[in-house]
């Protein structure tokens, strides 16, 4: 039986650059699945946060830190990244 998971909709404005957001999602998902093997929902949430936050920086490399992802997941949905 397949399980179903949902992620909250996150609004991030302004979107600075969309390039690399898919890679950021997959990187976040891989990280989440490795480090949260028993919590697939948390793995998905990490992936979504990594993707959303990637939109806030320029370029194709995701420079977001795990600390920034965890801050975003804890309720700071401002989309602001400290640099």
């Amino acid at each position: 039986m397949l399980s179903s998971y949902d992620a909250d909709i996150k609004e991030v404005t302004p979107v600075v650059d969309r390039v690399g957001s898919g890679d950021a999602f997959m990187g976040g998902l891989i990280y989440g699945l490795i480090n949260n093997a028993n919590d697939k929902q948390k793995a998905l949430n990490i992936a979504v946060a990594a993707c959303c936050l990637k939109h806030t920086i320029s370029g194709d490399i995701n420079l977001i830190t795990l600390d920034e992802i965890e801050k975003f997941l804890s309720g700071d949905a401002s989309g602001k990244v400290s640099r």
Side-chain angles (χ1 to χ4, degrees):
M1 183 171 149
L2 294 175
S3 298
S4 177
Y5 300 95
D6 292 314
D8 292 335
I9 295 172
K10 306 285 188 187
E11 294 239 4
V12 180
T13 54
V15 172
V16 175
D17 194 346
R18 296 179 327 179
V19 174
S21 59
D23 293 336
F25 178 88
M26 290 309 299
L29 185 61
I30 292 167
Y31 173 87
L33 289 171
I34 289 171
N35 291 286
N36 303 283
N38 296 324
D39 190 349
K40 305 284 192 283
Q41 183 63 56
K42 184 171 183 179
L44 176 62
N45 293 344
I46 290 170
V48 170
C51 177
C52 289
L53 291 173
K54 168 56 191 87
H55 283 89
T56 67
I57 58 174
S58 202
D60 60 351
I61 298 173
N62 192 10
L63 302 174
I64 304 304
T65 66
L66 181 58
D67 186 50
E68 290 167 332
I69 289 172
E70 289 172 348
K71 183 178 175 185
F72 189 77
L73 289 174
S74 71
D76 180 1
S78 68
K80 305 289 186 227
V81 177
S82 299
R83 292 278 169 247

